Amino acid sequence: MTEPDAQTARGAARRAALLKAAAELYLQQGYERTSLSQIIDAAGGSKATLYDQFGDKAGLFRTVVVELCQEMFQSASGPIPQDAQPTDILRTIASQFLAMLWGPDVQALSRIVYTEGGRNPEIADVFFENGYEEGYRQLADFLVQMSDDLNEEDAMSYARMFLTMLPGDAYDRLLAGASVQRSQAELESQIEMSVEWLLWKTTRQT
């Protein structure tokens, strides 16, 4: 008889293999062009296993998006020295956020969501709730700690504004493949202006 722990381990391994294969294929080919058969061929297993684990293709994609978004924001929250000044902390957060956006996997995922979201709004909802909204929440928590008089609602509004201001139109240009892209110097200038604005807004509360 198979031990329960062994069954659990095999099930977790199958799930991880399906998610890895699905993520790679979705990012390479897009959602519509990726079939369940391709995912199973790459990961092993069967359609029965996939349906049991994720329900259907849309359920698998939702899970992939959630996990990719979690990885996105883990990579965008590197260590910050505890004795750093708020200005330096915000600059670091800004630089990490832009580096995350410019990562190839995030670009690919963003293109998929913007393409598929009109046909399947739930995909876009999952992406924004587990991606951008999580980033807003993390920054808002920091802003509340930084300014004793700042309430949570205002902190969330400022966080959304700040992270939206940072890339300006540069990320839209990148995703669209525009012939003219923003330079690194322009992005650095955008960081400085955005940090200055956020510090002004938060210090006005005190």
Side-chain angles (χ1 to χ4, degrees):
M1 178 179 291
T2 304
E3 294 294 327
D5 287 349
Q7 291 179 336
T8 301
R10 277 203 299 272
R14 282 195 296 267
R15 182 179 187 279
L18 285 168
L19 286 173
K20 182 176 184 295
E24 290 174 353
L25 288 167
Y26 286 143
L27 294 174
Q28 290 169 8
Q29 303 178 168
Y31 177 76
E32 282 296 330
R33 286 178 292 179
T34 299
S35 68
L36 293 181
S37 295
Q38 288 176 314
I39 293 170
I40 292 166
D41 287 345
S46 66
K47 283 190 178 181
T49 300
L50 189 150
Y51 287 130
D52 183 59
Q53 293 270 5
F54 306 103
D56 55 14
K57 181 180 176 181
L60 175 59
F61 184 72
R62 285 193 297 273
T63 306
V64 168
V65 170
V66 169
E67 298 214 352
L68 285 173
C69 287
Q70 290 172 347
E71 291 177 13
M72 279 167 42
F73 280 91
Q74 285 173 359
S75 68
S77 56
I80 298 173
Q82 291 187 352
D83 59 348
Q85 296 299 310
T87 301
D88 295 328
I89 294 174
L90 291 174
R91 285 188 185 124
T92 299
I93 291 171
S95 296
Q96 291 173 347
F97 181 73
L98 292 184
M100 177 203 69
L101 286 184
W102 261 252
D105 286 354
V106 176
Q107 290 181 50
L109 181 60
S110 297
R111 288 189 176 100
I112 293 171
V113 170
Y114 293 137
T115 300
E116 300 297 332
R119 288 189 290 269
N120 188 348
E122 186 179 3
I123 289 174
D125 292 342
V126 170
F127 176 72
F128 281 96
E129 179 59 30
N130 292 278
Y132 283 95
E133 287 295 325
E134 180 59 28
Y136 301 150
R137 283 190 287 267
Q138 291 178 16
L139 178 55
D141 288 343
F142 168 73
L143 295 178
V144 169
Q145 295 174 29
M146 187 177 77
S147 178
D148 293 338
D149 294 334
L150 185 63
N151 62 59
E152 292 181 2
E153 183 178 354
D154 285 341
M156 194 67 169
S157 296
Y158 296 161
R160 286 196 181 97
M161 286 289 293
F162 177 69
L163 294 182
T164 302
M165 290 167 62
L166 279 173
D169 70 345
Y171 197 56
D172 291 332
R173 286 176 173 274
L174 181 69
L175 293 182
S179 58
V180 177
Q181 297 289 319
R182 296 304 180 201
S183 67
Q184 185 61 38
E186 287 175 308
L187 289 174
E188 292 293 336
S189 176
Q190 194 73 15
I191 288 174
E192 291 303 313
M193 288 189 292
S194 300
V195 168
E196 183 178 346
W197 173 85
L198 185 54
L199 286 172
W200 173 71
K201 290 295 291 184
T202 53
T203 55
R204 285 178 68 222
Q205 301 293 316
T206 60

